[in-house]
Structure formats: structure tokens, C-alpha cells
């Protein structure tokens, strides 16, 4: 529903506040514009002022990938779209493409996994030696369910957000949100004593052979220093 600014005055003492309120409510329901109602008497007509209320639109581009029925009853009455649906499609598709590109790099045969872990994962060592990983880890996904879940959430909440704040602000929100999440992850590792980086592929293969030779069947049976890097 649109926002309405109601300014109601009356010089007629016979008109009660309830009557004025009902008059304003009737005017609110019958107009799709910002309204200022100034009454000088019982027969005065409301005067429409201010810009026409912006709409989310009804074209396929404006509707986005999520059905509008999902948002019914939850749409803001203050934040209104300032950017087209086409711009939101372009922006979010670009972000999705970047995430898919990094996902493909993780799963590319012969990829240098050590390099990927050094540049696209968050841990205490990386945050000290390669601080850019606090941001790049937010576009990094190693398995299909991880990227599907994150992209679904981004499109669910990001499409309308993009239309309200635009490309530049959305990019800042995405980057700063990623840095905040990565920083929280590092602080959690410090608080829980997980100071070692995760195992790379070569180390995992080595520990798997050792565990098989020693009859270790559960991660809980591993030494604490190893378990910390596996879990």
C-alpha cells in the first residue's frame, strides 16, 4: 500500500475528529497518490499534492523471479522502488554469474586447490596474510547445494532491495555483508580455539590413508590437532 501524508484541519467546530478521520480514510482508499487533505468545511474536496506514488510495476521484468503473492502483507509502506526491474535482473544475474564462475573453478579438473583455498576461503591464517579473502570468500562455493541455497536467498530478498537502493548501494551491501560474515567466522574460530587452516587435498588424502591403515572409522577418533582441521 502507498504512503499517505494526511494534514487535516477544520474551522468548523461541529465536525468531530472521528468524522475528519473517516474522511481521511476514505480519501486514502480512493487515491494512489500522496495526499494532503485541507478542509475548510464539511463539503471541501481533498487536494492532491506531491509526486505520484511509484509502483513495483506489472511487467515480467518488474515482477522478478519470485511470485508477488509471496510478498503480500510484507511490503514496506515507506521504501518504494526507484530503479527498474530490468536493472535488478542485470545486476543480480551478474552477481550470480560471478558466483557460478568461482564454483566452476573449484570443481574444474586439475585445478590448484591449494591456490583456491588461499584466495577464496576464510580462516585466521588467510585473514592475516591475505585479507582480501574476507571478501572473496563470499562468492566462493564448493558444492552445488551451497551455491543453490545462497543464490535462492539472494534473489528472494535481493531483487526488491536492488530496485530500492540501486546498483552501487547493492554492491556495497553485498561486499560489506560478506566481510562482516567472514570476520564473524574468524572471531568464532579464535573464540573456539580453531586456529589451524583446513586441510588441502593432498593432506586429506594422506590422512585418509593413515586413518584406513590404523582402522580409524570416526572423526572423533582422530587426534585433536587433526580433528580441528577436518571438522
Amino acid at each position: 500500500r502507498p504512503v499517505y501524508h494526511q494534514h487535516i484541519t477544520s474551522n468548523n467546530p461541529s465536525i468531530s475528529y472521528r468524522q475528519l478521520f473517516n474522511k481521511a480514510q476514505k480519501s486514502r482508499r480512493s487515491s494512489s497518490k500522496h495526499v494532503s487533505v485541507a478542509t475548510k468545511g464539511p463539503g471541501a474536496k481533498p487536494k492532491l499534492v506531491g509526486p505520484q506514488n511509484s509502483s513495483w510495476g506489472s511487467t515480467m521484468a518488474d515482477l522478478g523471479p519470485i511470485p508477488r503473492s509471496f510478498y503480500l502483507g510484507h511490503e514496506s509502506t515507506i521504501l518504494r522502488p526507484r530503479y527498474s526491474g530490468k536493472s535488478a535482473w542485470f545486476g543480480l544475474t551478474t552477481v550470480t554469474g560471478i558466483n557460478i564462475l568461482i564454483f566452476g573453478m573449484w570443481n574444474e579438473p586439475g585445478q590448484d586447490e591449494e591456490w583456491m583455498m588461499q584466495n577464496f576461503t576464510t580462516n585466521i591464517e588467510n585473514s592475516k596474510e591475505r585479507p582480501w579473502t574476507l571478501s572473496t570468500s563470499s562468492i566462493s562455493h564448493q558444492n552445488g547445494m551451497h551455491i543453490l541455497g545462497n543464490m535462492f536467498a539472494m534473489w528472494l530478498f535481493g531483487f526488491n532491495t536492488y530496485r530500492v537502493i540501486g546498483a552501487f548501494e547493492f554492491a556495497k551491501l553485498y561486499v560489506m555483508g560478506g566481510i562482516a560474515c567472514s570476520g564473524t567466522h574468524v572471531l568464532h574460530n579464535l573464540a573456539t580455539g580453531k586456529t589451524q587452516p583446513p586441510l588441502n587435498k593432498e593432506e586429506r588424502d594422506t590422512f585418509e590413508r593413515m586413518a584406513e591403515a590404523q582402522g580409524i572409522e570416526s572423526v572423533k577418533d582422530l587426534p585433536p590437532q587433526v580433528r580441528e582441521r577436518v571438522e
Side-chain angles (χ1 to χ4, degrees):
R1 294 188 297 270
V3 181
Y4 297 86
H5 302 286
Q6 308 280 354
H7 304 288
I8 305 173
T9 60
S10 176
N11 296 324
N12 189 340
S14 64
I15 299 179
S16 67
Y17 283 106
R18 172 57 59 183
Q19 289 174 309
L20 289 173
F21 177 79
N22 291 339
K23 193 177 188 69
Q25 289 294 94
K26 182 178 180 180
S27 174
R28 175 177 180 172
R29 289 191 297 266
S30 64
S31 175
S32 62
K33 298 181 179 180
H34 293 275
V35 177
S36 177
V37 181
T39 58
K40 295 184 179 180
K45 294 183 180 181
K47 181 181 179 182
L48 303 179
V49 297
Q52 184 174 353
N53 183 46
S54 56
S55 170
W56 290 101
S58 58
T59 67
M60 291 298 294
D62 289 331
L63 293 178
I66 308 300
R68 297 303 304 169
S69 58
F70 175 84
Y71 301 102
L72 292 180
H74 303 283
E75 287 185 345
S76 172
T77 58
I78 300 175
L79 301 177
R80 308 304 298 172
R82 296 188 298 148
Y83 301 89
S84 69
K86 291 182 179 180
S87 66
W89 274 104
F90 178 80
L92 267 65
T93 300
T94 300
V95 176
T96 302
I98 294 172
N99 280 268
I100 293 175
L101 175 64
I102 305 303
F103 173 74
M105 291 173 63
W106 273 111
N107 293 274
E108 181 182 359
Q111 177 62 260
D112 186 354
E113 185 173 337
E114 182 70 18
W115 183 86
M116 293 294 294
M117 294 185 68
Q118 289 177 349
N119 290 278
F120 290 97
T121 61
T122 298
N123 53 64
I124 296 173
E125 179 182 343
N126 274 355
S127 65
K128 293 179 179 179
E129 299 180 5
R130 293 170 285 275
W132 60 84
T133 57
L134 292 172
S135 178
T136 57
S137 60
S138 65
I139 56 174
S140 176
H141 307 82
Q142 291 182 264
N143 64 73
M145 291 304 298
H146 188 196
I147 189 172
L148 283 175
N150 279 6
M151 292 302 99
F152 173 76
M154 184 187 73
W155 279 91
L156 180 63
F157 298 104
F159 190 84
N160 284 352
T161 302
Y162 193 107
R163 293 196 61 191
V164 172
I165 65 178
F168 182 69
E169 295 298 327
F170 186 87
K172 288 199 302 184
L173 178 65
Y174 189 95
V175 173
M176 297 306 296
I179 292 174
C181 290
S182 298
T184 303
H185 177 73
V186 171
L187 291 175
H188 176 266
N189 284 352
L190 285 171
T192 56
K194 294 182 178 180
T195 58
Q196 299 297 319
L199 300 175
N200 58 37
K201 187 177 186 302
E202 183 178 348
E203 290 174 326
R204 286 199 306 271
D205 293 341
T206 301
F207 280 118
E208 285 177 2
R209 290 194 296 269
M210 292 174 58
E212 185 178 354
Q214 297 177 16
I216 299 176
E217 298 180 355
S218 173
V219 174
K220 296 181 180 179
D221 298 328
L222 293 171
Q225 298 86 348
V226 178
R227 186 168 64 246
E228 173 187 332
R229 300 181 65 188
V230 172
E231 294 180 329

